[in-house]
Amino acid sequence: MSETSLLKGPLAEQYRPRTWNEVVGQNKVVGRIRGMAKRGLAGRAFWIAGASGTGKSTIARLLAAEVAGEWDIEEIDATALTVAQLRDIERGLAFRGMSATGGRAVIVNEAHGLKRDVIRQLLVSLERIPSHVVWVFTTTSENEDALFEDCLDASPLLSRCIRFDLARRDLARAFAERAQSIARTEGLDGKPIEAYIRLIQKHRQNLRAAIQEIESGAMLAE
């Protein structure tokens, strides 16, 4: 492993896809988003649901980047969002961004943690999204059910979003090949592809968790 790599933080972040072509295992969702991008993504809200480590945050960020420049993307945790903060965000979105496109984006992570009063305000906010703005919500599939059980307003919220459900099956081979490629680049590879497939299965298709184990030296030859 190079000294440069050591200064860049966790491998999962270093190797997070920066382009659509680098995303693995989610071809269907990526294809739909890229198709929509040709017609324009702004003025809409998107809901991305999937298991942990299957690409939610990556896809959300790439989607936001289709509309807004780096400095015009705001990423927030749903559990910390209040009605007052939401209103402040909405006021800021009235102004165009600093990039050439003038777009702005808001990514709301862990959307299953939204509070009831925030959801009620979002129902209004998402009815009047400016034409240069995109909202992106991400949630784990496992926690999404709790949102609908606990909050009667959740279904109307979802109806205001274009929904993308990430693939959960048939990911092992694609994720294993990606993991092995990273391991080889970092000098951490010493096992055949079958071992990487077992690693991905062990972590229930969570590529991020598998990369963290690779970083610990787990895939070096014994």
Side-chain angles (χ1 to χ4, degrees), residues 12-13 15-20 22-27 29-30 33 47-64 75 107 109-110 136-141 164-168 171 175 178 204-209 211:
E13 285 303 316
Y15 287 92
R16 183 185 293 276
R18 300 294 191 269
T19 68
W20 291 118
E22 294 175 356
V23 178
V24 296
Q26 302 297 343
N27 295 342
V29 166
V30 169
I33 295 173
W47 185 276
I48 302 174
S52 296
T54 55
K56 293 186 306 298
S57 294
T58 291
I59 290 173
R61 291 172 185 175
L62 288 173
L63 194 161
E75 194 163 350
I107 299 173
N109 291 315
E110 308 297 335
V136 188
F137 299 88
T138 72
T139 182
T140 53
S141 302
F164 295 118
D165 290 294
L166 300 193
R168 303 183 64 178
L171 296 174
F175 280 7
R178 175 64 171 163
R204 299 182 179 181
Q205 323 300 325
N206 187 325
L207 180 56
R208 180 178 60 250
I211 293 173

Side-chain angles (χ1 to χ4, degrees), residues 71-92:
W71 302 110
D72 297 314
I73 298 174
E74 185 169 3
E75 194 163 350
I76 55 181
D77 186 337
T79 59
L81 186 60
T82 66
V83 171
Q85 291 170 331
L86 179 57
R87 287 173 176 161
D88 285 341
I89 290 170
E90 189 173 8
R91 281 192 287 270

Side-chain angles (χ1 to χ4, degrees), residues 46-151:
F46 296 87
W47 185 276
I48 302 174
S52 296
T54 55
K56 293 186 306 298
S57 294
T58 291
I59 290 173
R61 291 172 185 175
L62 288 173
L63 194 161
E66 290 280 350
V67 173
E70 179 182 359
W71 302 110
D72 297 314
I73 298 174
E74 185 169 3
E75 194 163 350
I76 55 181
D77 186 337
T79 59
L81 186 60
T82 66
V83 171
Q85 291 170 331
L86 179 57
R87 287 173 176 161
D88 285 341
I89 290 170
E90 189 173 8
R91 281 192 287 270
L93 294 176
F95 302 96
R96 298 185 69 84
M98 296 181 288
S99 67
T101 64
R104 301 181 73 99
V106 181
I107 299 173
V108 182
N109 291 315
E110 308 297 335
H112 50 269
L114 288 166
K115 301 178 182 68
R116 293 192 180 203
D117 57 344
V118 172
I119 291 178
R120 285 194 290 270
Q121 181 61 36
L122 276 169
L123 296 181
V124 177
S125 300
L126 298 184
E127 287 288 345
R128 56 192 186 201
I129 303 175
S131 60
H132 61 280
V133 172
V134 65
W135 284 81
V136 188
F137 299 88
T138 72
T139 182
T140 53
S141 302
E142 295 86 348
N143 289 323
E144 187 183 43
D145 291 339
L147 172 65
F148 289 101
E149 289 177 4
D150 295 343
C151 185

Side-chain angles (χ1 to χ4, degrees), residues 36-48:
M36 287 193 66
K38 295 176 182 178
R39 301 186 297 274
L41 298 168
R44 299 179 176 86
F46 296 87
W47 185 276
I48 302 174

Side-chain angles (χ1 to χ4, degrees), residues 171-200:
L171 296 174
R173 170 65 65 167
F175 280 7
E177 290 175 351
R178 175 64 171 163
Q180 187 179 50
S181 174
I182 292 171
R184 284 177 175 171
T185 301
E186 295 295 321
L188 294 169
D189 172 49
K191 296 186 178 181
I193 189 64
E194 290 75 18
Y196 287 88
I197 292 174
R198 290 193 294 272
L199 178 67
I200 296 296

